[in-house]
Amino acid sequence: MNSESIHNQDKQNHSKSTQELIQLAIGIKKLQEINDYVGQVFCLSMANETPVLQKMLLDFFLWKSLKDEDAYWDIVWVLRYRGSYEVFEAASKLCESKNHNFRELGVQILAQLGTPKKDFSDESGVILLKLLENEENIDVVIAIAFALGHLKDSRGVAPLVKYKNHFRADVRESIVFGLLGQEDELAINALIELSADENQDVRNWATFGLGDMIETDTQAIRDALFQRMVDEKGDTDLEAEIRGEALLGLAKRKDKRVINLLIKELSGDDVGTLPVEAAREIRDSSLYPVLIELKEWWDVNSELLQEAIKNCSQEQM
């Protein structure tokens, strides 16, 4: 779908009533449910085809599914931005539906209803927490976790932590998102545990949550962040990002163990913004030489680099 067609679709949706948009979203949800079943049959039918044909057919099927997904989220965002009591009431009723797809739609609307002000955040939180108490569909649980994270609702900490050891990685990832920014000890302990998760995306979000999203400074948090530096030894972008989040979190807490790690990271051939941010935060003169060398070729964010150099210069010590 090109940008012009998306823009035209967006204008069309803005002109529709709330009930019309709800019905459109429900219709897409029904199609997606059919697509899920068709997709399973489709994959089984490809088993004996050549790899080339398998890839061609799979690309087409995924493209078709993503087109429906784009249309669905366009409708959800229009309803979120509309943010009226009428939308709140409609989304609330969806959360009471016997159909899990409709409940998921209601949750996704409430997650950021009235963006950016979120006028119904408290009321939405009450509905989501009540729904979570007895929700059996795991996709709805995931939606609720993300929603509580968007709403920054501290009431969600205890019920969300119960899912931190779920066997599905996408569930654990949603739980991390739901706990972001919470200074509660229960939330922090869960993030510490999940920062060592077997799944990279879960580790990444949890490390970000510990390092940059909270101000709490404990030895347990520092040790968890330092452990990421020890364990994330690969050269993939995601591993580098996890190390960067850990570096920044340690630097913000003025943990001197970060210095030698930072020198190594800043001396590499591919340096991201997070290590430079960490250098700016730690303000240590031993980083000055490597930052000057970095200045010779690093053009990602010259203003950030200059701030780091200034903070690590001898005059600032």
Side-chain angles (χ1 to χ4, degrees), residues 248-287:
L248 182 56
L250 289 168
K252 284 187 171 184
R253 292 164 175 82
K254 310 304 179 189
D255 191 316
K256 291 296 182 180
R257 289 180 296 177
V258 80
I259 301 300
N260 289 335
L261 299 170
L262 258 180
I263 291 174
K264 180 181 179 181
E265 204 75 20
L266 292 168
S267 301
D269 296 329
D270 185 14
V271 179
T273 58
L274 289 169
V276 182
E277 286 184 53
R280 181 182 62 183
E281 291 292 330
I282 197 69
R283 294 171 174 261
D284 192 286
S285 60
S286 59
L287 296 173

Side-chain angles (χ1 to χ4, degrees), residues 157-200:
V157 171
L160 288 179
V161 166
K162 294 177 183 178
Y163 291 89
K164 67 181 174 64
N165 295 318
H166 197 276
F167 71 93
R168 276 177 52 173
D170 56 346
V171 177
R172 301 195 302 276
E173 185 177 353
S174 73
I175 297 309
V176 170
F177 189 88
L179 299 176
L180 291 181
Q182 300 295 338
E183 305 278 352
D184 184 281
E185 184 179 1
L186 187 62
I188 291 172
N189 288 339
L191 288 179
I192 288 173
E193 181 180 337
L194 290 166
S195 70
D197 194 87
E198 63 182 12
N199 181 273
Q200 280 191 335

Side-chain angles (χ1 to χ4, degrees), residues 72-246:
Y72 173 78
W73 282 108
D74 178 63
I75 292 168
V76 171
W77 274 107
V78 170
L79 289 165
R80 285 172 172 177
Y81 277 114
R82 191 167 291 180
S84 64
Y85 182 77
E86 181 189 20
V87 177
F88 170 73
E89 191 173 36
S92 301
K93 288 180 179 177
L94 285 170
C95 289
E96 298 172 358
S97 173
K98 293 182 179 179
N99 185 307
H100 69 88
N101 283 316
F102 301 172
R103 295 198 300 277
E104 186 178 5
L105 170 60
V107 170
Q108 288 166 340
I109 294 170
L110 291 178
Q112 298 188 65
L113 182 60
T115 296
K117 294 168 64 176
K118 298 189 177 72
D119 293 329
F120 300 98
S121 58
D122 186 63
E123 297 93 330
S124 296
V126 171
I127 292 169
L128 295 172
L129 289 166
K130 183 179 179 181
L131 181 57
L132 184 60
E133 287 178 5
N134 300 304
E135 183 56 60
E136 296 180 353
N137 183 274
I138 205 63
D139 290 328
V140 179
V141 171
I142 291 173
I144 293 172
F146 277 113
L148 291 171
H150 283 300
L151 295 173
K152 303 186 186 305
D153 197 321
S154 60
R155 295 172 296 183
V157 171
L160 288 179
V161 166
K162 294 177 183 178
Y163 291 89
K164 67 181 174 64
N165 295 318
H166 197 276
F167 71 93
R168 276 177 52 173
D170 56 346
V171 177
R172 301 195 302 276
E173 185 177 353
S174 73
I175 297 309
V176 170
F177 189 88
L179 299 176
L180 291 181
Q182 300 295 338
E183 305 278 352
D184 184 281
E185 184 179 1
L186 187 62
I188 291 172
N189 288 339
L191 288 179
I192 288 173
E193 181 180 337
L194 290 166
S195 70
D197 194 87
E198 63 182 12
N199 181 273
Q200 280 191 335
D201 290 319
V202 176
R203 294 202 306 275
N204 190 21
W205 277 104
T207 304
F208 168 65
L210 290 172
D212 199 35
M213 291 294 287
I214 57 175
E215 299 296 326
T216 305
D217 184 8
T218 67
Q219 191 61 46
I221 291 174
R222 293 187 182 202
D223 289 345
L225 293 172
F226 185 78
Q227 195 62 43
R228 289 303 93 228
M229 295 303 307
V230 173
D231 293 345
E232 306 292 337
K233 297 178 180 179
D235 55 3
T236 66
D237 289 343
L238 192 53
E239 286 170 300
E241 186 175 337
I242 296 172
R243 288 197 303 272
E245 296 292 357

Side-chain angles (χ1 to χ4, degrees), residues 8-61:
N8 290 336
Q9 180 69 33
D10 184 64
K11 288 196 297 185
Q12 291 173 21
N13 285 334
H14 274 289
S15 67
K16 290 181 171 64
S17 71
T18 295
Q19 286 305 316
E20 285 176 320
L21 288 174
I22 293 289
Q23 289 306 312
L24 272 174
I26 285 175
I28 292 173
K29 272 290 186 187
K30 288 179 178 178
L31 285 174
Q32 288 173 341
E33 192 169 31
I34 293 169
N35 277 345
D36 286 343
Y37 173 73
V38 172
Q40 293 174 33
V41 177
F42 175 75
C43 289
L44 288 172
S45 71
M46 291 198 306
N48 296 319
E49 300 295 345
T50 65
V52 173
L53 183 58
Q54 284 181 346
K55 185 179 186 308
M56 187 187 306
L57 291 171
L58 185 59
D59 286 347
F60 174 77
F61 185 79

